Amino acid sequence: MSTPAPPRRPVLLAVDDDAGVGRAVQRDLRRRYGERYQVVGADSGRSALDVLRQLELRGQEVALLLSDQRMPGMDGVDFLEEAIELTPVAKRVLLTAYADTQAAIKAINEISLDHYLTKPWDPPEEHLYPVLDELLREWEAAAAAADERRGVRVVGHRFSPESHAIRDFLARNLVAYHWLDAERDPEARRLLAAAGTDDSRLPTVVFEDGSFLQVPSTLEVAEKVGLQTHAQTDFYDLVIIGGGPAGLAAAVYGASEGLGTVLVEREAPGGQAGQSSRIENYLGFPTGVSGADLTSRASTQAQRLGAEVLTVREVATLEARGPARVVVMTDGTEIAAHALVIASGVAWRRLEVPGAEELAGKGVYYGAARSEALACSGEEVFVVGGANSAGQAAVHLAGYAAKVTVLYRGDDLGKSMSQYLVDQLDKLANVEVRLGTQVTEIHGVESVEAITINGTERAEGSSLFIFIGASPRTGWLDGVLARDARGFVLAGTDVKAAATLGGAGAPPWPLQREPYLLETSMPGVFVAGDVRHQSIKRVASAVGEGSMSVQFVHQYLGEL
């Protein structure tokens, strides 16, 4: 009996016309990645394209292209541009001299270059490996999600709210999964038969160990895939409510400075920022970064430093019991701490037109376009809204849908959207921006079929992604903390002005000293990010507030 051949390793292709540099690059790649990847070299762009064609014929995956910019005949950017046709999912990195920076920036905009490195890259432990580690981690996650034999498999109906909820939950928690449409995919029927069930109770979620759950809650799925859902103890130095950028920043700084820290998140780390397909203006990421990747790194960083991150746990109320600050969960369990940071963020505002609620999850989606984008291939879809979240979703959807129509009630998209996004939308041939428009009705029975615009015009389409502003997640703070008329939490000097800002029902500030800058009407409870009154709705400002809140926590703990 013959032994099956071992699986071929994915390829890392290094391209440089200088033989000495090429050998050095390949040496460094083999030293770090030689066990998991096959390292291949080429001495020109043309020969590298020939190598890629041979790898395609052999059915071998290419994970990374690392090319020098200055090569005769075909420079690095030209090679990487042509290579997209042969290996579209490979990560692309350019090696440049300092004088080539403008070429690299042009490549970021024109061919979605993943990164560029300035030579020399020595020592590789500082300048080469950290970059490639992140890129290969992203590639491996995408490859796992695309492999039907790996990860979680979800069998369901596309236009089922329950199926959408599970898919969205897995996507936002970066759990690799494969979607199987019960109506269209023969593999779905085979999988249900193997499980001894049928399509009467969907979604069915099948795990790598062969077990499965029918119509599961997100908590059941979270526990099955290994996410932490319960605190390890009942008392901490710091409890953080909300896992968006502000909450994650507070967790990183709290844990790094020695505080016993736990973060409680009701859905998935990242908040609204985690749903952004691409953030181009966050400091330190010249090629941009997806919201999911940014917040995943932050979550990993917080946990590495010692913070606990709990998912699928929702807070019901907050109580002061002497010096302790106690959060009570919806299941009745409690977590107490010396101090608390509220970073619970905001929820997408619902579209209040006929058909919107009936078709929610059946083609009407609030935020997160990532989990539904692939299903929109070849279809016509709508994005409602004019802020950055809407622009990022439209750009992402344009890579899948036949046409994306952005509907914005204002007269100038630039008033509410960053200019880089406005420019990107202008360049996309399959994106149409319509100003002065509002959705007045949504039509469909089992799923979205069409919408009415401005009361008279009917437009056909399969999905509607809604980004029309947000409301704070603060209902659980009724009568506990001072808030403004819209529910945003008051802090600092605003606490004593609560009556003039529309706040009512919360106890007054009880101490002789003034509240700290981010301190709420309850001493020792701080607020950061979008949920704060008059906050700046940007990722960078939320991160700044989250990190700053920990300094005030230290001052408060010093008083105790």
mmCIF file of all heavy atoms in Angstrom, residues 376 379-386 390-391 393-395 397-398 401-409 413 417 425 428-439 451 453 457-467:
data_model
loop_
_atom_site.group_PDB
_atom_site.id
_atom_site.type_symbol
_atom_site.label_atom_id
_atom_site.label_comp_id
_atom_site.label_asym_id
_atom_site.label_seq_id
_atom_site.Cartn_x
_atom_site.Cartn_y
_atom_site.Cartn_z
ATOM 1 N N CYS A 376 -23.629 38.655 -1.875
ATOM 2 C CA CYS A 376 -24.169 39.682 -2.778
ATOM 3 C C CYS A 376 -23.516 39.652 -4.154
ATOM 4 O O CYS A 376 -23.759 40.560 -4.970
ATOM 5 C CB CYS A 376 -23.973 41.067 -2.164
ATOM 6 S SG CYS A 376 -24.916 41.333 -0.653
ATOM 7 N N GLU A 379 -25.193 40.839 -7.554
ATOM 8 C CA GLU A 379 -26.500 41.431 -7.266
ATOM 9 C C GLU A 379 -26.390 42.959 -7.148
ATOM 10 O O GLU A 379 -25.293 43.518 -7.115
ATOM 11 C CB GLU A 379 -27.060 40.850 -5.969
ATOM 12 C CG GLU A 379 -27.278 39.345 -6.039
ATOM 13 C CD GLU A 379 -27.808 38.769 -4.740
ATOM 14 O OE1 GLU A 379 -27.851 39.504 -3.734
ATOM 15 O OE2 GLU A 379 -28.170 37.585 -4.712
ATOM 16 N N GLU A 380 -27.545 43.612 -7.101
ATOM 17 C CA GLU A 380 -27.598 45.048 -6.887
ATOM 18 C C GLU A 380 -28.028 45.313 -5.444
ATOM 19 O O GLU A 380 -29.034 44.764 -4.985
ATOM 20 C CB GLU A 380 -28.558 45.716 -7.867
ATOM 21 C CG GLU A 380 -28.108 45.599 -9.320
ATOM 22 C CD GLU A 380 -28.920 46.476 -10.256
ATOM 23 O OE1 GLU A 380 -29.677 47.337 -9.766
ATOM 24 O OE2 GLU A 380 -28.788 46.303 -11.481
ATOM 25 N N VAL A 381 -27.240 46.139 -4.749
ATOM 26 C CA VAL A 381 -27.498 46.386 -3.335
ATOM 27 C C VAL A 381 -27.479 47.889 -3.065
ATOM 28 O O VAL A 381 -26.993 48.685 -3.871
ATOM 29 C CB VAL A 381 -26.457 45.680 -2.441
ATOM 30 C CG1 VAL A 381 -26.448 44.186 -2.705
ATOM 31 C CG2 VAL A 381 -25.062 46.265 -2.657
ATOM 32 N N PHE A 382 -27.986 48.256 -1.877
ATOM 33 C CA PHE A 382 -28.056 49.662 -1.485
ATOM 34 C C PHE A 382 -27.338 49.864 -0.160
ATOM 35 O O PHE A 382 -27.396 49.006 0.731
ATOM 36 C CB PHE A 382 -29.515 50.109 -1.328
ATOM 37 C CG PHE A 382 -30.353 49.914 -2.563
ATOM 38 C CD1 PHE A 382 -31.130 48.767 -2.714
ATOM 39 C CD2 PHE A 382 -30.357 50.852 -3.576
ATOM 40 C CE1 PHE A 382 -31.902 48.567 -3.839
ATOM 41 C CE2 PHE A 382 -31.138 50.668 -4.707
ATOM 42 C CZ PHE A 382 -31.908 49.522 -4.844
ATOM 43 N N VAL A 383 -26.670 50.988 -0.030
ATOM 44 C CA VAL A 383 -26.078 51.426 1.226
ATOM 45 C C VAL A 383 -26.744 52.744 1.591
ATOM 46 O O VAL A 383 -26.732 53.692 0.799
ATOM 47 C CB VAL A 383 -24.556 51.607 1.114
ATOM 48 C CG1 VAL A 383 -23.998 52.242 2.389
ATOM 49 C CG2 VAL A 383 -23.876 50.272 0.852
ATOM 50 N N VAL A 384 -27.327 52.809 2.777
ATOM 51 C CA VAL A 384 -28.054 54.002 3.207
ATOM 52 C C VAL A 384 -27.235 54.713 4.276
ATOM 53 O O VAL A 384 -26.971 54.154 5.339
ATOM 54 C CB VAL A 384 -29.447 53.640 3.761
ATOM 55 C CG1 VAL A 384 -30.197 54.904 4.158
ATOM 56 C CG2 VAL A 384 -30.233 52.838 2.732
ATOM 57 N N GLY A 385 -26.828 55.942 3.994
ATOM 58 C CA GLY A 385 -26.052 56.716 4.947
ATOM 59 C C GLY A 385 -24.930 57.457 4.254
ATOM 60 O O GLY A 385 -24.593 57.169 3.103
ATOM 61 N N GLY A 386 -24.329 58.411 4.974
ATOM 62 C CA GLY A 386 -23.301 59.221 4.355
ATOM 63 C C GLY A 386 -22.066 59.434 5.199
ATOM 64 O O GLY A 386 -21.215 60.247 4.842
ATOM 65 N N ALA A 390 -20.617 54.081 6.221
ATOM 66 C CA ALA A 390 -21.331 53.804 4.973
ATOM 67 C C ALA A 390 -20.358 53.754 3.803
ATOM 68 O O ALA A 390 -20.459 52.882 2.929
ATOM 69 C CB ALA A 390 -22.402 54.866 4.737
ATOM 70 N N GLY A 391 -19.401 54.686 3.773
ATOM 71 C CA GLY A 391 -18.429 54.692 2.688
ATOM 72 C C GLY A 391 -17.562 53.456 2.681
ATOM 73 O O GLY A 391 -17.311 52.856 1.622
ATOM 74 N N ALA A 393 -18.316 50.519 3.893
ATOM 75 C CA ALA A 393 -19.147 49.382 3.487
ATOM 76 C C ALA A 393 -19.360 49.369 1.982
ATOM 77 O O ALA A 393 -19.305 48.316 1.343
ATOM 78 C CB ALA A 393 -20.488 49.428 4.216
ATOM 79 N N ALA A 394 -19.604 50.545 1.394
ATOM 80 C CA ALA A 394 -19.837 50.614 -0.051
ATOM 81 C C ALA A 394 -18.609 50.175 -0.830
ATOM 82 O O ALA A 394 -18.710 49.433 -1.822
ATOM 83 C CB ALA A 394 -20.238 52.042 -0.439
ATOM 84 N N VAL A 395 -17.423 50.622 -0.394
ATOM 85 C CA VAL A 395 -16.185 50.214 -1.068
ATOM 86 C C VAL A 395 -16.011 48.703 -0.967
ATOM 87 O O VAL A 395 -15.653 48.026 -1.948
ATOM 88 C CB VAL A 395 -14.979 50.940 -0.442
ATOM 89 C CG1 VAL A 395 -13.666 50.347 -0.961
ATOM 90 C CG2 VAL A 395 -15.039 52.436 -0.763
ATOM 91 N N LEU A 397 -18.360 46.332 -0.435
ATOM 92 C CA LEU A 397 -19.396 45.637 -1.203
ATOM 93 C C LEU A 397 -19.147 45.718 -2.698
ATOM 94 O O LEU A 397 -19.516 44.797 -3.449
ATOM 95 C CB LEU A 397 -20.767 46.217 -0.868
ATOM 96 C CG LEU A 397 -21.320 45.876 0.525
ATOM 97 C CD1 LEU A 397 -22.477 46.798 0.883
ATOM 98 C CD2 LEU A 397 -21.770 44.418 0.574
ATOM 99 N N ALA A 398 -18.529 46.808 -3.155
ATOM 100 C CA ALA A 398 -18.275 46.976 -4.592
ATOM 101 C C ALA A 398 -17.365 45.888 -5.145
ATOM 102 O O ALA A 398 -17.370 45.625 -6.353
ATOM 103 C CB ALA A 398 -17.667 48.353 -4.850
ATOM 104 N N ALA A 401 -20.603 42.915 -5.325
ATOM 105 C CA ALA A 401 -21.902 43.182 -5.954
ATOM 106 C C ALA A 401 -21.729 43.721 -7.374
ATOM 107 O O ALA A 401 -20.719 44.346 -7.710
ATOM 108 C CB ALA A 401 -22.697 44.177 -5.115
ATOM 109 N N ALA A 402 -22.758 43.482 -8.201
ATOM 110 C CA ALA A 402 -22.737 44.035 -9.553
ATOM 111 C C ALA A 402 -22.862 45.553 -9.510
ATOM 112 O O ALA A 402 -22.219 46.266 -10.294
ATOM 113 C CB ALA A 402 -23.880 43.440 -10.380
ATOM 114 N N LYS A 403 -23.669 46.053 -8.575
ATOM 115 C CA LYS A 403 -23.833 47.497 -8.443
ATOM 116 C C LYS A 403 -24.155 47.840 -6.995
ATOM 117 O O LYS A 403 -24.924 47.142 -6.345
ATOM 118 C CB LYS A 403 -24.951 48.016 -9.357
ATOM 119 C CG LYS A 403 -25.129 49.529 -9.301
ATOM 120 C CD LYS A 403 -26.242 50.006 -10.223
ATOM 121 C CE LYS A 403 -26.404 51.527 -10.129
ATOM 122 N NZ LYS A 403 -27.509 52.014 -11.001
ATOM 123 N N VAL A 404 -23.540 48.927 -6.532
ATOM 124 C CA VAL A 404 -23.811 49.451 -5.189
ATOM 125 C C VAL A 404 -24.319 50.876 -5.342
ATOM 126 O O VAL A 404 -23.657 51.714 -5.951
ATOM 127 C CB VAL A 404 -22.544 49.447 -4.317
ATOM 128 C CG1 VAL A 404 -22.854 50.021 -2.934
ATOM 129 C CG2 VAL A 404 -21.971 48.046 -4.190
ATOM 130 N N THR A 405 -25.497 51.142 -4.800
ATOM 131 C CA THR A 405 -26.062 52.494 -4.826
ATOM 132 C C THR A 405 -26.047 53.049 -3.417
ATOM 133 O O THR A 405 -26.643 52.471 -2.508
ATOM 134 C CB THR A 405 -27.492 52.494 -5.376
ATOM 135 O OG1 THR A 405 -27.492 51.935 -6.694
ATOM 136 C CG2 THR A 405 -28.034 53.915 -5.452
ATOM 137 N N VAL A 406 -25.344 54.183 -3.252
ATOM 138 C CA VAL A 406 -25.295 54.859 -1.951
ATOM 139 C C VAL A 406 -26.390 55.918 -1.922
ATOM 140 O O VAL A 406 -26.432 56.804 -2.783
ATOM 141 C CB VAL A 406 -23.920 55.516 -1.724
ATOM 142 C CG1 VAL A 406 -23.903 56.255 -0.386
ATOM 143 C CG2 VAL A 406 -22.811 54.464 -1.759
ATOM 144 N N LEU A 407 -27.277 55.818 -0.958
ATOM 145 C CA LEU A 407 -28.389 56.759 -0.817
ATOM 146 C C LEU A 407 -28.129 57.656 0.385
ATOM 147 O O LEU A 407 -28.052 57.183 1.528
ATOM 148 C CB LEU A 407 -29.706 56.002 -0.636
ATOM 149 C CG LEU A 407 -30.050 55.000 -1.747
ATOM 150 C CD1 LEU A 407 -31.273 54.183 -1.360
ATOM 151 C CD2 LEU A 407 -30.274 55.711 -3.071
ATOM 152 N N TYR A 408 -27.989 58.967 0.120
ATOM 153 C CA TYR A 408 -27.662 59.922 1.181
ATOM 154 C C TYR A 408 -28.618 61.097 1.108
ATOM 155 O O TYR A 408 -28.802 61.691 0.041
ATOM 156 C CB TYR A 408 -26.217 60.387 1.015
ATOM 157 C CG TYR A 408 -25.776 61.433 2.009
ATOM 158 C CD1 TYR A 408 -26.009 61.284 3.369
ATOM 159 C CD2 TYR A 408 -25.102 62.575 1.588
ATOM 160 C CE1 TYR A 408 -25.601 62.240 4.285
ATOM 161 C CE2 TYR A 408 -24.685 63.543 2.496
ATOM 162 C CZ TYR A 408 -24.938 63.369 3.848
ATOM 163 O OH TYR A 408 -24.536 64.313 4.745
ATOM 164 N N ARG A 409 -29.205 61.432 2.229
ATOM 165 C CA ARG A 409 -30.222 62.472 2.224
ATOM 166 C C ARG A 409 -29.638 63.875 2.107
ATOM 167 O O ARG A 409 -30.351 64.825 1.774
ATOM 168 C CB ARG A 409 -31.080 62.383 3.474
ATOM 169 C CG ARG A 409 -30.340 62.665 4.766
ATOM 170 C CD ARG A 409 -31.263 62.528 5.956
ATOM 171 N NE ARG A 409 -30.576 62.810 7.218
ATOM 172 C CZ ARG A 409 -31.178 62.782 8.396
ATOM 173 N NH1 ARG A 409 -32.464 62.459 8.468
ATOM 174 N NH2 ARG A 409 -30.494 63.054 9.497
ATOM 175 N N LEU A 413 -21.690 64.784 0.032
ATOM 176 C CA LEU A 413 -21.149 63.643 0.775
ATOM 177 C C LEU A 413 -19.924 64.039 1.590
ATOM 178 O O LEU A 413 -19.662 63.478 2.657
ATOM 179 C CB LEU A 413 -20.794 62.518 -0.202
ATOM 180 C CG LEU A 413 -20.717 61.093 0.341
ATOM 181 C CD1 LEU A 413 -22.010 60.686 1.009
ATOM 182 C CD2 LEU A 413 -20.357 60.127 -0.780
ATOM 183 N N MET A 417 -18.371 62.580 5.273
ATOM 184 C CA MET A 417 -17.490 61.451 4.970
ATOM 185 C C MET A 417 -16.083 61.951 4.685
ATOM 186 O O MET A 417 -15.905 63.001 4.060
ATOM 187 C CB MET A 417 -18.030 60.676 3.754
ATOM 188 C CG MET A 417 -17.283 59.376 3.449
ATOM 189 S SD MET A 417 -17.968 58.525 1.995
ATOM 190 C CE MET A 417 -19.614 58.075 2.568
ATOM 191 N N LEU A 425 -14.936 56.176 -3.749
ATOM 192 C CA LEU A 425 -16.249 55.909 -4.337
ATOM 193 C C LEU A 425 -16.345 56.482 -5.747
ATOM 194 O O LEU A 425 -16.936 55.867 -6.643
ATOM 195 C CB LEU A 425 -17.349 56.492 -3.450
ATOM 196 C CG LEU A 425 -17.516 55.855 -2.063
ATOM 197 C CD1 LEU A 425 -18.581 56.598 -1.269
ATOM 198 C CD2 LEU A 425 -17.888 54.383 -2.173
ATOM 199 N N LEU A 428 -14.872 54.070 -8.384
ATOM 200 C CA LEU A 428 -15.453 52.734 -8.571
ATOM 201 C C LEU A 428 -16.584 52.788 -9.592
ATOM 202 O O LEU A 428 -17.599 53.463 -9.386
ATOM 203 C CB LEU A 428 -15.965 52.187 -7.235
ATOM 204 C CG LEU A 428 -14.874 51.895 -6.195
ATOM 205 C CD1 LEU A 428 -15.482 51.582 -4.834
ATOM 206 C CD2 LEU A 428 -13.997 50.719 -6.656
ATOM 207 N N ALA A 429 -16.409 52.046 -10.682
ATOM 208 C CA ALA A 429 -17.379 52.100 -11.783
ATOM 209 C C ALA A 429 -18.736 51.538 -11.402
ATOM 210 O O ALA A 429 -19.758 51.937 -11.986
ATOM 211 C CB ALA A 429 -16.821 51.352 -12.999
ATOM 212 N N ASN A 430 -18.778 50.612 -10.457
ATOM 213 C CA ASN A 430 -20.057 49.988 -10.106
ATOM 214 C C ASN A 430 -20.693 50.593 -8.855
ATOM 215 O O ASN A 430 -21.558 49.986 -8.229
ATOM 216 C CB ASN A 430 -19.889 48.476 -9.929
ATOM 217 C CG ASN A 430 -18.964 48.121 -8.770
ATOM 218 O OD1 ASN A 430 -18.090 48.901 -8.406
ATOM 219 N ND2 ASN A 430 -19.144 46.941 -8.209
ATOM 220 N N VAL A 431 -20.253 51.807 -8.472
ATOM 221 C CA VAL A 431 -20.846 52.512 -7.340
ATOM 222 C C VAL A 431 -21.500 53.801 -7.826
ATOM 223 O O VAL A 431 -20.883 54.595 -8.535
ATOM 224 C CB VAL A 431 -19.798 52.844 -6.254
ATOM 225 C CG1 VAL A 431 -20.416 53.728 -5.172
ATOM 226 C CG2 VAL A 431 -19.249 51.569 -5.627
ATOM 227 N N GLU A 432 -22.753 53.993 -7.459
ATOM 228 C CA GLU A 432 -23.470 55.231 -7.772
ATOM 229 C C GLU A 432 -23.863 55.904 -6.461
ATOM 230 O O GLU A 432 -24.424 55.267 -5.568
ATOM 231 C CB GLU A 432 -24.730 54.948 -8.591
ATOM 232 C CG GLU A 432 -25.529 56.206 -8.913
ATOM 233 C CD GLU A 432 -26.848 55.915 -9.618
ATOM 234 O OE1 GLU A 432 -27.171 54.712 -9.809
ATOM 235 O OE2 GLU A 432 -27.558 56.872 -9.966
ATOM 236 N N VAL A 433 -23.549 57.188 -6.347
ATOM 237 C CA VAL A 433 -23.921 57.967 -5.165
ATOM 238 C C VAL A 433 -25.075 58.881 -5.536
ATOM 239 O O VAL A 433 -24.985 59.676 -6.467
ATOM 240 C CB VAL A 433 -22.734 58.804 -4.645
ATOM 241 C CG1 VAL A 433 -23.176 59.666 -3.469
ATOM 242 C CG2 VAL A 433 -21.584 57.900 -4.230
ATOM 243 N N ARG A 434 -26.172 58.749 -4.798
ATOM 244 C CA ARG A 434 -27.352 59.579 -5.062
ATOM 245 C C ARG A 434 -27.627 60.457 -3.851
ATOM 246 O O ARG A 434 -27.887 59.961 -2.748
ATOM 247 C CB ARG A 434 -28.553 58.690 -5.374
ATOM 248 C CG ARG A 434 -28.365 57.857 -6.654
ATOM 249 C CD ARG A 434 -29.645 57.161 -7.044
ATOM 250 N NE ARG A 434 -30.735 58.108 -7.208
ATOM 251 C CZ ARG A 434 -31.990 57.750 -7.523
ATOM 252 N NH1 ARG A 434 -32.274 56.467 -7.707
ATOM 253 N NH2 ARG A 434 -32.933 58.653 -7.643
ATOM 254 N N LEU A 435 -27.548 61.771 -4.048
ATOM 255 C CA LEU A 435 -27.754 62.732 -2.973
ATOM 256 C C LEU A 435 -29.221 63.133 -2.903
ATOM 257 O O LEU A 435 -29.981 62.970 -3.849
ATOM 258 C CB LEU A 435 -26.876 63.952 -3.210
ATOM 259 C CG LEU A 435 -25.373 63.686 -3.371
ATOM 260 C CD1 LEU A 435 -24.633 64.976 -3.674
ATOM 261 C CD2 LEU A 435 -24.794 63.006 -2.130
ATOM 262 N N GLY A 436 -29.596 63.661 -1.748
ATOM 263 C CA GLY A 436 -30.970 64.120 -1.570
ATOM 264 C C GLY A 436 -31.997 63.016 -1.677
ATOM 265 O O GLY A 436 -33.116 63.230 -2.149
ATOM 266 N N THR A 437 -31.639 61.814 -1.249
ATOM 267 C CA THR A 437 -32.540 60.661 -1.372
ATOM 268 C C THR A 437 -32.780 60.009 -0.023
ATOM 269 O O THR A 437 -31.890 59.956 0.827
ATOM 270 C CB THR A 437 -31.956 59.605 -2.330
ATOM 271 O OG1 THR A 437 -30.646 59.230 -1.874
ATOM 272 C CG2 THR A 437 -31.853 60.143 -3.744
ATOM 273 N N GLN A 438 -33.983 59.496 0.157
ATOM 274 C CA GLN A 438 -34.335 58.758 1.361
ATOM 275 C C GLN A 438 -35.153 57.533 0.987
ATOM 276 O O GLN A 438 -35.967 57.577 0.050
ATOM 277 C CB GLN A 438 -35.159 59.624 2.319
ATOM 278 C CG GLN A 438 -34.409 60.815 2.886
ATOM 279 C CD GLN A 438 -35.204 61.501 3.983
ATOM 280 O OE1 GLN A 438 -35.483 60.915 5.030
ATOM 281 N NE2 GLN A 438 -35.580 62.753 3.763
ATOM 282 N N VAL A 439 -34.930 56.444 1.710
ATOM 283 C CA VAL A 439 -35.745 55.240 1.533
ATOM 284 C C VAL A 439 -37.057 55.457 2.283
ATOM 285 O O VAL A 439 -37.063 55.779 3.475
ATOM 286 C CB VAL A 439 -35.016 54.001 2.067
ATOM 287 C CG1 VAL A 439 -35.911 52.768 1.957
ATOM 288 C CG2 VAL A 439 -33.707 53.783 1.332
ATOM 289 N N ILE A 451 -37.015 48.680 -3.212
ATOM 290 C CA ILE A 451 -37.254 49.765 -2.262
ATOM 291 C C ILE A 451 -37.938 50.914 -2.991
ATOM 292 O O ILE A 451 -37.882 51.015 -4.219
ATOM 293 C CB ILE A 451 -35.950 50.268 -1.618
ATOM 294 C CG1 ILE A 451 -35.026 50.880 -2.682
ATOM 295 C CG2 ILE A 451 -35.257 49.155 -0.862
ATOM 296 C CD1 ILE A 451 -33.797 51.545 -2.099
ATOM 297 N N ILE A 453 -37.863 55.027 -3.199
ATOM 298 C CA ILE A 453 -37.004 56.167 -2.887
ATOM 299 C C ILE A 453 -37.817 57.444 -3.042
ATOM 300 O O ILE A 453 -38.499 57.644 -4.051
ATOM 301 C CB ILE A 453 -35.779 56.195 -3.830
ATOM 302 C CG1 ILE A 453 -34.970 54.898 -3.688
ATOM 303 C CG2 ILE A 453 -34.910 57.413 -3.538
ATOM 304 C CD1 ILE A 453 -33.873 54.747 -4.717
ATOM 305 N N GLU A 457 -40.204 56.657 -6.461
ATOM 306 C CA GLU A 457 -39.342 55.855 -7.344
ATOM 307 C C GLU A 457 -39.112 54.469 -6.761
ATOM 308 O O GLU A 457 -38.702 54.317 -5.616
ATOM 309 C CB GLU A 457 -37.996 56.565 -7.539
ATOM 310 C CG GLU A 457 -37.037 55.791 -8.433
ATOM 311 C CD GLU A 457 -35.657 56.439 -8.484
ATOM 312 O OE1 GLU A 457 -35.489 57.567 -7.963
ATOM 313 O OE2 GLU A 457 -34.746 55.798 -9.041
ATOM 314 N N ARG A 458 -39.339 53.444 -7.567
ATOM 315 C CA ARG A 458 -39.109 52.061 -7.141
ATOM 316 C C ARG A 458 -37.796 51.578 -7.754
ATOM 317 O O ARG A 458 -37.558 51.762 -8.953
ATOM 318 C CB ARG A 458 -40.260 51.158 -7.578
ATOM 319 C CG ARG A 458 -40.130 49.689 -7.113
ATOM 320 C CD ARG A 458 -41.289 48.860 -7.640
ATOM 321 N NE ARG A 458 -41.135 47.446 -7.364
ATOM 322 C CZ ARG A 458 -41.665 46.807 -6.331
ATOM 323 N NH1 ARG A 458 -42.414 47.479 -5.471
ATOM 324 N NH2 ARG A 458 -41.486 45.507 -6.164
ATOM 325 N N ALA A 459 -36.938 50.948 -6.931
ATOM 326 C CA ALA A 459 -35.651 50.442 -7.406
ATOM 327 C C ALA A 459 -35.488 48.995 -6.944
ATOM 328 O O ALA A 459 -35.718 48.674 -5.774
ATOM 329 C CB ALA A 459 -34.512 51.300 -6.882
ATOM 330 N N GLU A 460 -35.110 48.114 -7.866
ATOM 331 C CA GLU A 460 -34.934 46.696 -7.552
ATOM 332 C C GLU A 460 -33.576 46.473 -6.880
ATOM 333 O O GLU A 460 -32.583 47.119 -7.203
ATOM 334 C CB GLU A 460 -35.008 45.863 -8.834
ATOM 335 C CG GLU A 460 -36.246 46.104 -9.674
ATOM 336 C CD GLU A 460 -37.511 45.608 -9.003
ATOM 337 O OE1 GLU A 460 -37.427 44.614 -8.260
ATOM 338 O OE2 GLU A 460 -38.575 46.227 -9.216
ATOM 339 N N GLY A 461 -33.530 45.555 -5.943
ATOM 340 C CA GLY A 461 -32.289 45.203 -5.272
ATOM 341 C C GLY A 461 -32.518 44.109 -4.255
ATOM 342 O O GLY A 461 -33.660 43.849 -3.846
ATOM 343 N N SER A 462 -31.419 43.449 -3.830
ATOM 344 C CA SER A 462 -31.557 42.285 -2.947
ATOM 345 C C SER A 462 -31.218 42.575 -1.495
ATOM 346 O O SER A 462 -31.646 41.831 -0.606
ATOM 347 C CB SER A 462 -30.643 41.158 -3.439
ATOM 348 O OG SER A 462 -29.280 41.558 -3.385
ATOM 349 N N SER A 463 -30.441 43.625 -1.242
ATOM 350 C CA SER A 463 -30.000 43.877 0.137
ATOM 351 C C SER A 463 -29.887 45.371 0.398
ATOM 352 O O SER A 463 -29.612 46.163 -0.514
ATOM 353 C CB SER A 463 -28.639 43.211 0.406
ATOM 354 O OG SER A 463 -28.735 41.805 0.280
ATOM 355 N N LEU A 464 -30.068 45.714 1.656
ATOM 356 C CA LEU A 464 -30.034 47.106 2.100
ATOM 357 C C LEU A 464 -29.160 47.160 3.353
ATOM 358 O O LEU A 464 -29.483 46.530 4.359
ATOM 359 C CB LEU A 464 -31.451 47.567 2.420
ATOM 360 C CG LEU A 464 -31.757 49.050 2.495
ATOM 361 C CD1 LEU A 464 -31.637 49.683 1.116
ATOM 362 C CD2 LEU A 464 -33.177 49.251 3.020
ATOM 363 N N PHE A 465 -28.050 47.912 3.285
ATOM 364 C CA PHE A 465 -27.134 48.041 4.421
ATOM 365 C C PHE A 465 -27.284 49.451 4.978
ATOM 366 O O PHE A 465 -27.049 50.431 4.275
ATOM 367 C CB PHE A 465 -25.701 47.763 3.981
ATOM 368 C CG PHE A 465 -25.501 46.360 3.477
ATOM 369 C CD1 PHE A 465 -25.657 46.058 2.134
ATOM 370 C CD2 PHE A 465 -25.194 45.331 4.350
ATOM 371 C CE1 PHE A 465 -25.495 44.766 1.657
ATOM 372 C CE2 PHE A 465 -25.026 44.027 3.893
ATOM 373 C CZ PHE A 465 -25.182 43.743 2.532
ATOM 374 N N ILE A 466 -27.668 49.548 6.245
ATOM 375 C CA ILE A 466 -28.121 50.824 6.814
ATOM 376 C C ILE A 466 -27.109 51.366 7.822
ATOM 377 O O ILE A 466 -26.729 50.689 8.779
ATOM 378 C CB ILE A 466 -29.503 50.656 7.471
ATOM 379 C CG1 ILE A 466 -30.506 50.152 6.417
ATOM 380 C CG2 ILE A 466 -29.983 51.963 8.076
ATOM 381 C CD1 ILE A 466 -31.821 49.694 6.999
ATOM 382 N N PHE A 467 -26.687 52.616 7.581
ATOM 383 C CA PHE A 467 -25.735 53.312 8.446
ATOM 384 C C PHE A 467 -26.250 54.741 8.637
ATOM 385 O O PHE A 467 -25.736 55.690 8.033
ATOM 386 C CB PHE A 467 -24.350 53.362 7.808
ATOM 387 C CG PHE A 467 -23.778 52.015 7.446
ATOM 388 C CD1 PHE A 467 -24.140 51.377 6.258
ATOM 389 C CD2 PHE A 467 -22.864 51.389 8.269
ATOM 390 C CE1 PHE A 467 -23.600 50.142 5.914
ATOM 391 C CE2 PHE A 467 -22.329 50.147 7.942
ATOM 392 C CZ PHE A 467 -22.696 49.519 6.768
#
